[in-house]
Amino acid sequence: MDFLQFTAGKDDERRADKVLRLLLPNQHLSAIYSAFRKGFIRVNDKRIKPDKAIHHGDTISIASFLLCSTSNQQDMCAPAVFPYDIILKNDDVLVINKPYNIEVQHELVQVVRQYYNSQKNGGRASLTFAPAPLHRLDKKTTGLLFFSWSIRGAQWFSRAIAEHKIEKQYVALVQGEMTQQHEWNDFIKKNAATDNAAFHTVRVFTSAHENALLAQTKAKPLCTSSSGITLVHFTIATGRTHQIRAQSAQHGYPLLGDTAYGARSTHEEQDIFLHAYKMILPENELGLPRVLRAPLPRPFKKINDKILKNWQEAFIL
């Protein structure tokens, strides 16, 4: 009989039956207990009882037919090929260059979890841990996106964000000729008028307003086209929904093509051009570099080449 082997990680230290219920979500509990009794599930090559504790480093052997019998467990039976650019991956975090027009919470999470489940013994830190995005990017925003690859990674990132120790920098094309640096301190709240719409927007207030949250953004122009389109470097101190899009529009510089916030439409490969380009991280125990960058996507470079003379000389960030 063929067995597939998995190595337990630090996040898997719990009862064996609890681990197997997570590894075999489509098997009835009675079938899992039967598999323990018949030796189809072993730990360190020994038959065990379901209430035995699993420890970090234990080898769990599972009969292949239990794992590969259903279609949504095929990812555990054959390695997946991750379809997006990986900026960094270690035992604690996965950092990708998020593509345009991909929804994070559903479409992208599913792909990342399938990839995680395919990483047997040499890439997968835990058998029962499920990766999740550690911050938000809009569907049409590209660039750096962190996923947890362990509980330790999730806890570290959440703590660093809460303590304002991670600096996020973006680049975007805006409609209008921005000639000087700006620092915007506004207040943002959900636009109630879009409650029943498929797409929600936010409202910006220049002074404190009921239920509105402080949004802090710095904008620095890099270069401007002859048609009045500016490539702008944004640094955000807060992470509100649509923060850059809404604040930039409020102050007279809607993102190029962002019709939801008052810009004219374009006929380019992307509706808008907003890219999470750079993150500056604090010193850390995860072995992460202090600076991470995500290359601009091809359509962003293409429109820059078309409308901005010598933009690459200004793009030194």
Side-chain angles (χ1 to χ4, degrees):
M1 180 180 298
D2 291 331
F3 283 81
L4 296 177
Q5 294 188 331
F6 304 88
T7 301
K10 293 180 181 179
D11 299 334
D12 301 318
E13 293 190 334
R14 62 189 79 188
R15 282 174 46 137
D17 55 351
K18 293 184 180 295
V19 172
L20 268 297
R21 289 189 73 177
L22 292 168
L23 284 174
L24 303 171
N26 295 311
Q27 297 287 350
H28 292 297
L29 184 58
S30 59
I32 292 174
Y33 279 109
S34 175
F36 275 110
R37 290 194 303 271
K38 295 177 180 179
F40 296 152
I41 299 170
R42 300 168 181 258
V43 174
N44 299 327
D45 207 28
K46 297 178 181 178
R47 294 193 183 201
I48 62 166
K49 293 183 178 180
D51 61 356
K52 177 180 172 60
I54 297 293
H55 299 287
H56 180 206
D58 283 349
T59 299
I60 302 172
S61 302
I62 306 174
S64 59
F65 75 88
L66 291 172
L67 286 162
C68 304
S69 58
T70 57
S71 59
N72 60 353
Q73 288 180 341
Q74 293 297 322
D75 59 323
M76 302 186 72
C77 305
V81 176
F82 194 67
Y84 309 123
D85 292 337
I86 294 176
I87 302 299
L88 180 147
K89 181 171 80 70
N90 64 13
D91 289 343
D92 298 299
V93 297
L94 170 74
V95 187
I96 71 168
N97 191 356
K98 177 192 169 295
Y100 173 75
N101 214 27
I102 297 291
E103 189 177 50
V104 173
Q105 290 296 336
H106 300 289
E107 188 174 357
L108 191 50
V109 165
Q110 183 178 358
V111 173
V112 168
R113 288 181 176 173
Q114 181 180 11
Y115 175 60
Y116 180 86
N117 287 338
S118 75
Q119 304 295 289
K120 308 186 190 95
N121 296 339
R124 183 176 179 181
S126 168
L127 302 175
T128 55
F129 176 79
L134 295 174
H135 56 110
R136 295 191 304 267
L137 283 183
D138 292 343
K139 181 177 181 179
K140 294 185 178 182
T141 302
T142 58
L144 288 171
L145 180 62
F146 271 71
F147 282 84
S148 56
W149 218 242
S150 72
I151 291 176
R152 185 175 81 144
Q155 292 174 337
W156 175 84
F157 192 92
S158 298
R159 184 168 59 251
I161 285 288
E163 295 173 355
H164 304 288
K165 292 182 177 179
I166 295 178
E167 182 176 293
K168 299 179 183 178
Q169 300 182 15
Y170 294 70
V171 289
L173 290 173
V174 306
Q175 186 178 299
E177 186 174 347
M178 186 184 293
T179 58
Q180 63 184 34
Q181 297 186 44
H182 297 269
E183 185 170 345
W184 300 321
N185 295 282
D186 301 309
F187 295 84
I188 285 179
K189 67 181 294 185
K190 183 180 175 182
N191 186 358
T194 63
D195 280 347
N196 297 320
F199 176 78
H200 297 285
T201 59
V202 299
R203 295 183 64 190
V204 179
F205 303 89
T206 55
S207 58
H209 194 276
E210 183 181 5
N211 298 324
L213 300 174
L214 177 65
Q216 297 175 304
T217 301
K218 294 180 180 179
K220 176 184 177 182
L222 299 177
C223 56
T224 303
S225 72
S226 58
S227 59
I229 304 300
T230 306
L231 179 64
V232 180
H233 172 232
F234 291 98
T235 301
I236 61 172
T238 53
R240 311 305 180 196
T241 299
H242 291 189
Q243 177 170 323
I244 291 174
R245 297 171 63 180
Q247 278 191 287
S248 198
Q250 173 71 24
H251 293 278
Y253 304 100
L255 269 60
L256 180 66
D258 196 359
T259 56
Y261 289 98
R264 61 178 181 268
S265 61
T266 66
H267 300 285
E268 303 293 338
E269 292 182 53
Q270 295 183 190
D271 293 336
I272 65 173
F273 295 86
L274 175 61
H275 182 71
Y277 174 69
K278 181 179 177 180
M279 281 194 189
I280 301 176
L281 310 178
E283 292 185 3
N284 60 85
E285 64 276 16
L286 305 186
L288 303 178
R290 294 298 302 275
V291 178
L292 289 172
R293 293 180 176 85
L296 288 178
R298 182 190 57 79
F300 204 142
K301 290 181 179 179
K302 183 178 177 181
I303 190 172
N304 283 349
D305 289 337
K306 183 168 70 172
I307 68 173
L308 294 167
K309 183 179 180 180
N310 301 324
W311 69 270
Q312 296 191 40
E313 294 178 8
F315 193 76
I316 302 175
L317 303 173

